[in-house]
Amino acid sequence: MHGYSRLGNGRSVTATTTPSPPSSPRLRHGRGKTGGTGGGFGGVGGVGGGGSRSSKQNLVERLIFILVSVVFRRRGVLLFAPLMYISGMLLYMGSLNFDVDLNLKSGGVVVRKRPPPGSVYRSPQVFEKLWPYMETESNGSNNALMTAWDPKLRNGWKPCGNGNNETSEAELPKSNGFLIIEANGGLNQQRLSICDAVAVAGLLNATLVIPIFHLNSVWQDSSKFGDIFDEEFFIHALKNDVDVIHELPRDVLEQFDNNISSIINLRVKAWSSPTYYLQKVLPKLIQMRAVRIAPFSNRLAHAVPPDIQRVRCLANFEALRFSEPIRTLAEKMVDRMVKNSSQSGGKYVSVHLRFEMDMVAFSCCEYDGGEEEKHEMDMARERGWRGKFRRRGRVIRPGANRVDGKCPLTPLEVGMMLRGMGFDNTTSVYVAAGNIYKAEKFMAPLKKMFPRLETKDTIATAEELARFKGHLSRLAALDYTVCLHSEVFVTTQGGNFPHFLMGHRRYLNGGHAKTIKPDKRKLALLFDKPSIRWEVFKRQMKDMLRHSDHKGSELRKPSGSLYTFPMPDCMCKPPEARAKDNSTLILNSKLLAR
C-alpha cells in the first residue's frame, strides 16, 4: 500500500635543487697600513695623505670600520642578530607575557611576568578610564540610533505568498494518519519543533495533533500550547496546507487503550531527510493509523525541497502568533517603550543579555568575584550538570574561554560597547533577560551609562505580570515581542532566542536583521587594555557596528536555518527590486571593464 505525499516526491613533479652560492671570503685588512687597497676598506685612514679630512670624521670612519670588521670576521653574530632583534620587538610590543621596565638612572632592567590576555577581568578598569569621555558625549545631539542602519544596504526583500493558493478552494486529500510530537526545551526550542512538525505532516500528508509540551527540567514551565500560542489561529492559518486538530479522535485513542503512551514512538535521528520520513515513517503511519515522535527537537534537515520550506515559512512567520493575554500585555510594553523614546523618534535598543548564574557557570569564565564567585560557580555547575565539570582530564581555562569569545558579556561590557558605537545616554534600552547574576552589582554601571533602561519588571506593573510569573516561556514571549519591534537588537551569547528573533526581524524589515552581533574575540582583547584611548575604542566599536550592518541581509546557506535566514526561501524580491539589482550589476561591470 502506498501513501500519498503532497509535498515531495597526476603526473609527478621532480623538484630541482639550486646549489647555494659560495660564501663570501673573509675580508683581510692590513694592520697598521694607511694606504693600499686592502680589500676595499683598508684605505679609510688617509688616502692621499689625510690632510683633507678632519680628525673627528676620521674617528667615526675608524669606528665604522672596526664594527663591520667584527661582524664579518665573526659570522656567528649574523646568526644571532635577527633572533635578538625579534625577541626585543616581541618584548616591546607585549606579544610575550613579560613586561620590561628600563631604569635609565640606575641602569637596571626589571622583567615581570604578565598574566595572559583574558585571564583577568579588566573591564571595570577600562570603564574607569573611558567614563569621563562618555560623559562629554552625552548631549543626545548625534545619537547613533538615528543612523545605525544604512538604507542603501536594503535589498527590497518582501515576504512571499506562503499560503497554498492552489488548494485554497479545494479540500485536502485524505489523511494517511495522525502525527503526534512532543516539543521540549524553552520557548524557541518549542517553536522549532512545532514548525518542523508542520512541515513533516505536510510531507507525509498526515493530520497533525496540536503538539504536546514536555515539562523541561530546566525551564520548569507547565504551560500548554494554548497558553503560549493562539491555537485557533494556528489551525486556521494552516488549513489549506496541513490539517491540524486539537486532540486525537476518540476511536483512534481507543485503539491504543485510551493511552497516548501506547502509540508507537519512532526514534527519528536528528536532521533526518525527507527521504527518510517517506521510507521509514510513512509506512508505519499508514499501518498504525497514528505514530508518535518524542522528542522532536531538530528532527528535520535544514536543506529540504522548496515545498517543505514554504510550509515551514508559513508555520513560523504567519501561523504561530502568541496567545491573546501575551499579545495584549506585550503590545502595551512596546507602546510604553516607544513613548519613552520620543526624543529619538520612538526608536529604542533591545539587548538579549545572557548573564544569569547558570550561563556564567556553564561558560566557566571568571569575573571579579574572587573565591566567593568561584565557590558559587562550582556549586551551580554541580547542581545543573552533576559531575560533568569534574571528569578526569577536564581542564577549565577561564582566560582561554574569554579570548576565544565564549564568555557571556557583562552588562558593563555591553554598555561600553554601545556607548563606543555612538548610542548616548538619551537612548532608551530594553534588557531581555532572566535573573541576572548579582544584578545589583553588575547592572549598576549599565544603568549609569543608560539611565533610560527598562526590563519587563519596570515597563510592566506587578499586577500585569502576576499571571505570567512562574511560567518562563510566557515571560520569554513578552521579551521576544518587545525585542522584535526595537530599532536595534543586540545579541550577546547566541542561542535559539536571538536566532529566531533575527530571522523574524529580517522577515519584517525588508530582509535586514537590524541586529548587532559583536565580535567577542575582539572585545575580549580591547577590554583587556585599561590604557586604551577613547578614540581608538570608538573607532573599533563603529567598525563593529558597520560590520553588523553589512551582515544584516545575509542569504541562507545550504547548512543554514531559514528560521534565522528567511531569504530566499520565505522572502522574494519584487520585479522593480530585481531590475534595480540588474542595473547595478551592469553598471559595476562597466566600471570594472574600464
Side-chain angles (χ1 to χ4, degrees):
M1 181 175 181
H2 297 285
Y4 176 81
S5 171
R6 288 180 284 108
L7 297 184
N9 302 353
R11 199 169 71 172
S12 63
V13 178
T14 304
T16 57
T17 305
T18 304
S20 301
S23 58
S24 302
R26 292 189 179 184
L27 300 178
R28 304 186 182 278
H29 309 285
R31 297 184 180 181
K33 294 181 180 180
T34 57
T37 57
F41 288 96
V44 292
V47 177
S52 62
R53 298 184 181 217
S54 64
S55 58
K56 184 176 181 180
Q57 185 175 355
N58 288 338
L59 178 62
V60 172
E61 290 177 343
R62 286 182 181 276
L63 289 174
I64 294 174
F65 165 76
I66 293 172
L67 179 62
V68 173
S69 299
V70 169
V71 169
F72 275 91
R73 291 189 180 202
R74 301 181 180 274
R75 277 189 267 175
V77 176
L78 291 175
L79 298 176
F80 287 102
L83 295 176
M84 294 171 65
Y85 173 77
I86 293 171
S87 301
M89 291 302 293
L90 288 174
L91 287 170
Y92 174 72
M93 294 185 295
S95 298
L96 298 179
N97 292 324
F98 296 95
D99 286 323
V100 180
D101 292 338
L102 300 176
N103 192 325
L104 298 179
K105 292 184 178 180
S106 64
V109 178
V110 179
V111 180
R112 297 191 307 272
K113 182 174 177 58
R114 183 193 306 138
S119 61
V120 179
Y121 176 62
R122 293 191 174 93
S123 297
Q125 293 94 301
V126 176
F127 175 63
E128 185 178 353
K129 167 74 182 302
L130 300 183
W131 172 242
Y133 301 97
M134 296 181 194
E135 284 192 294
T136 61
E137 299 183 4
S138 298
N139 53 18
S141 59
N142 190 25
N143 193 340
L145 192 56
M146 309 304 293
T147 57
W149 313 118
D150 186 353
K152 295 179 182 178
L153 296 177
R154 307 291 177 83
N155 293 319
W157 291 93
K158 293 183 179 180
C160 301
N162 291 313
N164 190 347
N165 296 323
E166 295 179 2
T167 61
S168 59
E169 300 298 329
E171 291 186 3
L172 294 174
K174 183 180 178 181
S175 172
N176 288 324
F178 298 90
L179 175 64
I180 303 163
I181 68 107
E182 280 189 17
N184 57 351
L187 172 67
N188 292 286
Q189 188 72 18
Q190 292 169 340
R191 192 182 191 104
L192 171 66
S193 299
I194 294 166
C195 297
D196 281 357
V198 171
V200 170
L203 172 69
L204 302 179
N205 187 37
T207 298
L208 177 66
V209 180
I210 285 290
I212 301 167
F213 283 1
H214 177 70
L215 181 62
N216 186 272
S217 59
V218 176
W219 284 73
Q220 290 292 326
D221 190 339
S222 59
S223 298
K224 294 180 172 56
F225 186 100
D227 296 321
I228 301 173
F229 300 105
D230 189 330
E231 197 166 309
E232 295 299 331
F233 183 84
F234 179 73
I235 294 173
H236 178 78
L238 294 169
K239 67 178 183 177
N240 295 328
D241 295 87
V242 176
D243 188 21
V244 183
I245 59 176
H246 294 284
E247 57 186 19
L248 206 60
R250 182 177 298 275
D251 63 313
V252 177
L253 193 56
E254 288 175 353
Q255 179 184 337
F256 298 96
D257 298 326
N258 294 307
N259 186 357
I260 289 181
S261 298
S262 299
I263 298 174
I264 184 172
N265 185 17
L266 302 180
R267 296 293 180 177
V268 177
K269 293 182 180 180
W271 314 115
S272 291
S273 68
T275 303
Y276 177 88
Y277 280 97
L278 292 173
Q279 293 180 350
K280 302 294 183 181
V281 178
L282 183 57
K284 289 287 186 183
L285 177 69
I286 295 171
Q287 176 188 354
M288 306 295 296
R289 294 185 65 194
V291 296
R292 186 164 57 97
I293 303 178
F296 192 76
S297 178
N298 301 315
R299 289 303 184 267
L300 181 61
H302 287 315
V304 296
D307 279 349
I308 302 177
Q309 297 290 48
R310 181 186 60 78
V311 176
R312 265 177 164 168
C313 298
L314 176 63
N316 185 54
F317 298 114
E318 301 292 345
L320 268 186
R321 74 177 187 184
F322 293 124
S323 63
E324 191 275 335
I326 292 174
R327 289 201 318 275
T328 300
L329 179 54
E331 288 168 4
K332 290 180 180 178
M333 294 166 67
V334 171
D335 289 342
R336 291 166 190 170
M337 285 301 302
V338 171
K339 184 178 180 180
N340 293 349
S341 311
S342 57
Q343 189 170 342
S344 55
K347 298 178 179 180
Y348 61 93
V349 173
S350 62
V351 179
H352 183 225
L353 188 60
R354 296 305 313 273
F355 202 69
E356 303 92 345
M357 176 177 281
D358 62 333
M359 178 57 66
V360 176
F362 186 80
S363 70
C364 298
C365 296
E366 293 179 358
Y367 294 90
D368 55 356
E371 291 301 320
E372 179 185 352
E373 178 188 300
K374 290 180 181 179
H375 178 70
E376 287 179 341
M377 294 300 107
D378 286 340
M379 296 290 289
R381 282 190 283 268
E382 190 60 23
R383 282 195 306 269
W385 304 274
R386 191 174 304 276
K388 177 177 180 178
F389 294 89
R390 293 187 291 104
R391 292 173 185 168
R392 181 177 297 179
R394 181 71 181 258
V395 179
I396 296 176
R397 297 186 176 90
N401 289 347
R402 177 168 282 115
V403 171
D404 200 29
K406 295 179 179 178
C407 289
L409 292 179
T410 65
L412 168 65
E413 292 169 333
V414 173
M416 284 196 289
M417 177 186 73
L418 289 174
R419 290 300 295 266
M421 288 176 174
F423 299 94
D424 63 26
N425 68 342
T426 66
T427 305
S428 293
V429 176
Y430 180 84
V431 173
N435 295 320
I436 299 298
Y437 173 60
K438 293 190 175 180
E440 185 175 351
K441 170 188 174 181
F442 283 104
M443 289 296 287
L446 180 58
K447 292 178 181 177
K448 185 177 182 179
M449 286 181 275
F450 294 99
R452 299 180 181 181
L453 185 142
E454 304 282 0
T455 66
K456 55 180 168 286
D457 294 306
T458 61
I459 202 69
T461 66
E463 292 76 16
E464 289 172 326
L465 291 173
R467 67 184 301 174
F468 302 104
K469 291 294 184 182
H471 300 286
L472 296 183
S473 291
R474 302 186 212 180
L475 291 172
L478 296 174
D479 280 339
Y480 186 98
T481 305
V482 180
C483 292
L484 180 63
H485 296 287
S486 64
E487 175 65 13
V488 175
F489 172 62
V490 183
T491 173
T492 62
Q493 188 64 18
N496 284 317
F497 185 98
H499 290 162
F500 270 85
L501 199 55
M502 288 172 66
H504 209 154
R505 287 171 65 83
R506 284 187 170 106
Y507 192 78
L508 296 180
N509 295 318
H512 198 291
K514 290 189 173 183
T515 297
I516 295 173
K517 193 175 180 182
D519 183 342
K520 292 171 66 178
R521 290 185 178 93
K522 179 181 285 187
L523 285 176
L525 297 178
L526 293 173
F527 290 142
D528 198 52
K529 299 177 180 178
S531 61
I532 190 170
R533 293 186 296 114
W534 174 238
E535 292 302 322
V536 174
F537 184 77
K538 277 203 308 182
R539 185 170 63 250
Q540 294 286 347
M541 294 303 99
K542 289 181 183 296
D543 286 346
M544 202 173 290
L545 176 58
R546 279 191 292 270
H547 181 73
S548 292
D549 193 8
H550 283 275
K551 300 285 282 185
S553 298
E554 281 187 284
L555 302 182
R556 188 182 71 84
K557 297 176 182 177
S559 60
S561 167
L562 66 72
Y563 303 124
T564 306
F565 305 99
M567 300 97 74
D569 302 278
C570 310
M571 303 186 73
C572 305
K573 278 193 176 182
E576 57 271 17
R578 291 198 297 268
K580 183 179 178 181
D581 289 347
N582 290 336
S583 61
T584 303
L585 183 63
I586 293 171
L587 178 61
N588 291 337
S589 300
K590 289 181 178 179
L591 291 174
L592 290 173
R594 290 180 179 177

